[in-house]
Amino acid sequence: LALQADNRPAALTLLGEAVAAAPNLWPARNAWVAQLLEQDRYTEAEQAVIAAPGGAHVLAVERLAIRVRLAEDRLADALTMAQDATVDHPDSLELRLLIASIDRQRGMNQAAILELQTAINAFPHAAAPHEQARVVMDARTPDLAAAVAAGEIPELPRTRAVVAETLRRYPPA
C-alpha cells in the first residue's frame, strides 16, 4: 500500500521489516532490493542480498546479486556472475536469457545470438528465447530475411511460424 501511495520511505521500512521477520519471503526481499536499487542505494541492496538465506534459494540469491551489479552498471561483473551461475544451474532458461541480455547491453550482439541459440536448442518450446533472438537480430540488421538467407544468423522456425501466423491473421493493409 505504501508503494501504491508513492510513499517510498514507508515502503522501504515495511519491506525491510517484512524481510527481517521472514527472511525466506522472497517477494518481499525482491521488492525491497528493487526499491533500494531504484533509489541508487547500492550498498544497502548488496547487503540485503548478502544477508539472504541460501540453501534452496541459491539461484534466487544469485539473480538478486546480478541485478545489483546491473543497476550499478557493472556489466562485466554481472556477466561473469551469470555465466558462473550457469555452471551450477545449467537448466536455467532465465540465466541464459539474462546472459544474452547483458551481452546485448555490452554491444556484443553475436555473443547474444549464440547464447539465445543455446537457449533455443535447450528449451525449444519456450517463447522467450525466440522473441529475444528476433529483437537482437532486428537490431543487428535492417534486412533480416537477407541475413537468414545468407546464413549469417540461424533460422528460427518458431519465430518464423509466429510471424507467419500473425501475418495470416492480421494481413497488412
Side-chain angles (χ1 to χ4, degrees):
L1 293 174
L3 284 174
Q4 288 177 347
D6 205 25
N7 187 348
R8 304 278 182 216
L12 274 176
T13 301
L14 292 172
L15 288 168
E17 290 172 0
V19 169
N24 287 325
L25 186 60
W26 284 98
R29 186 173 298 276
N30 282 328
W32 187 33
V33 169
Q35 288 301 306
L36 290 168
L37 293 175
E38 189 176 293
Q39 296 180 18
D40 298 333
R41 294 166 68 175
Y42 304 122
T43 303
E44 292 172 75
E46 188 151 357
Q47 290 170 350
V49 172
I50 291 169
H57 303 289
V58 171
L59 183 56
V61 173
E62 290 172 340
R63 285 192 314 252
L64 277 177
I66 293 166
R67 280 179 56 195
V68 171
R69 298 305 181 290
L70 289 172
E72 293 174 313
D73 205 28
R74 293 171 49 192
L75 300 179
D77 290 345
L79 181 60
T80 300
M81 289 179 77
Q83 289 169 332
D84 290 348
T86 60
V87 172
D88 296 328
H89 310 284
D91 295 332
S92 173
L93 174 60
E94 185 177 352
L95 282 175
R96 296 279 176 202
L97 297 177
L98 185 58
I99 290 169
S101 176
I102 295 168
D103 283 338
R104 283 188 59 217
Q105 289 177 0
R106 295 182 74 202
M108 301 168 54
N109 285 345
Q110 190 61 34
I113 290 170
L114 291 173
E115 190 63 45
L116 289 168
Q117 189 63 49
T118 299
I120 288 167
N121 292 338
F123 307 95
H125 301 295
H130 293 275
E131 292 160 5
Q132 281 198 21
R134 178 65 186 226
V135 169
V136 171
M137 289 183 271
D138 282 348
R140 194 180 119 203
T141 179
D143 188 358
L144 184 60
V148 169
E152 295 174 13
I153 54 179
E155 291 190 40
L156 302 172
R158 184 179 186 288
T159 302
R160 189 178 299 269
V162 168
V163 170
E165 180 63 15
T166 301
L167 290 173
R168 185 187 69 75
R169 289 184 185 186
Y170 309 101

